[in-house]
Amino acid sequence: DAGVIQSPRHEVTEMGQEVTLRCKPISGHNSLFWYRQTMMRGLELLIYFNNNVPIDDSGMPEDRFSAKMPNASFSTLKIQPSEPRDSAVYFCASRTLAGPYYNEQFFGPGTRLTVL
Amino acid sequence: AQTVTQSQPEMSVQEAETVTLSCTYDTSENNYYLFWYKQPPSRQMILVIRQEAYKQQNATENRFSVNFQKAAKSFSLKISDSQLGDTAMYFCAFTKWGNKLVFGAGTILRVKS
């Protein structure tokens, strides 16, 4: 299995630009999570989906952030417009609630976002 | 709301020795799951070990074991025969069934040769 795939791995952009982060979960997993990691705030959950439906988006910092999951194999996290304080590592994780690895979250390699 | 506390920001250990990382949590739930994740400098999040709250037996995975004290709401990680590759940030995490993970602040572990 290829694991959780995220793209791009690194993104450098200027303030005010739109940024789109992408995630492909592990095949067969039915939950997908977006996290943000910073030195100041640690690991924070932004939003998660069960069966492509957003369940908890209370961690989304403001309206500039949006996430979609149009099908079971793809999700995007969009920031528009981006700001320097959005600089962080963004992780995507997926999970199944069945089988020997039930309830374990498998993480992608992360996207390091730098907003200048 | 559940909270997870890791009281040791940094720790160091000599190669081949044993080290214990502490974690406490607060919840009113009876059934839940606890995890330790490792984040090496590559920043990849790697699951080290898991524990189901309904199981009394402490989980073990090779050199990694936990001391799960449900009444005390404590979940420590013991690393035996420490290796240089164990150098990483370690996160304790809590979840209920089908719910989100709540992470502690992390402990930086440095293994010295």
Side-chain angles (χ1 to χ4, degrees):
Chain A
D1 198 322
V4 177
I5 299 172
Q6 290 187 247
S7 64
R9 295 291 307 276
H10 303 273
E11 177 80 22
V12 180
T13 190
E14 292 189 348
M15 183 174 62
Q17 296 298 307
E18 177 179 294
V19 175
T20 299
L21 310 182
R22 297 173 176 79
C23 176
K24 177 179 170 55
I26 293 173
S27 177
H29 283 196
N30 53 9
S31 300
L32 184 139
F33 303 78
W34 282 103
Y35 294 90
R36 179 171 67 176
Q37 185 177 30
T38 61
M39 290 291 291
M40 292 296 295
R41 299 175 67 89
L43 272 163
E44 305 174 274
L45 176 71
L46 299 177
I47 185 171
Y48 81 95
F49 298 82
N50 278 348
N51 297 317
N52 313 337
V53 177
I55 302 300
D56 183 350
D57 65 355
S58 59
M60 296 287 264
E62 48 197 275
D63 291 346
R64 298 184 297 106
F65 285 69
S66 63
K68 294 182 179 180
M69 192 165 187
N71 57 61
S73 60
F74 184 66
S75 177
T76 59
L77 178 67
K78 186 175 294 186
I79 308 172
Q80 166 64 18
S82 58
E83 298 182 2
R85 60 193 168 120
D86 301 331
S87 296
V89 179
Y90 291 81
F91 287 101
C92 176
S94 70
R95 175 190 70 190
T96 177
L97 293 177
Y101 303 107
Y102 69 94
N103 216 29
E104 291 180 14
Q105 293 191 22
F106 293 82
F107 284 75
T111 295
R112 179 177 292 278
L113 173 65
T114 303
V115 183
L116 303 174
Chain B
Q2 288 81 19
T3 58
V4 177
T5 302
Q6 293 179 249
S7 58
Q8 305 152 314
E10 294 188 30
M11 293 193 71
S12 61
V13 63
Q14 286 295 130
E15 201 173 3
E17 294 189 347
T18 297
V19 63
T20 299
L21 308 184
S22 301
C23 173
T24 59
Y25 56 94
D26 186 24
T27 184
S28 58
E29 301 288 331
N30 190 46
N31 294 318
Y32 49 86
Y33 301 79
L34 296 161
F35 303 88
W36 279 97
Y37 279 87
K38 168 185 176 180
Q39 187 178 38
S42 66
R43 79 168 180 254
Q44 177 71 51
M45 292 287 287
I46 302 165
L47 179 65
V48 175
I49 199 165
R50 63 178 281 163
Q51 174 80 42
E52 290 89 340
Y54 65 86
K55 291 185 178 179
Q56 293 186 335
Q57 186 173 8
N58 288 324
T60 61
E61 286 289 341
N62 301 314
R63 297 183 295 107
F64 299 87
S65 61
V66 299
N67 183 3
F68 173 50
Q69 302 289 328
K70 190 173 183 180
K73 297 180 182 176
S74 171
F75 183 60
S76 60
L77 175 69
K78 185 171 82 171
I79 306 173
S80 304
D81 185 25
S82 297
Q83 301 175 358
L84 295 177
D86 295 334
T87 293
M89 174 82 91
Y90 287 81
F91 292 96
C92 178
F94 168 102
T95 186
K96 298 183 294 184
W97 173 261
N99 213 312
K100 61 186 180 183
L101 278 172
V102 177
F103 286 94
T107 297
I108 298 172
L109 175 67
R110 294 188 175 86
V111 181
K112 300 179 179 179
S113 59

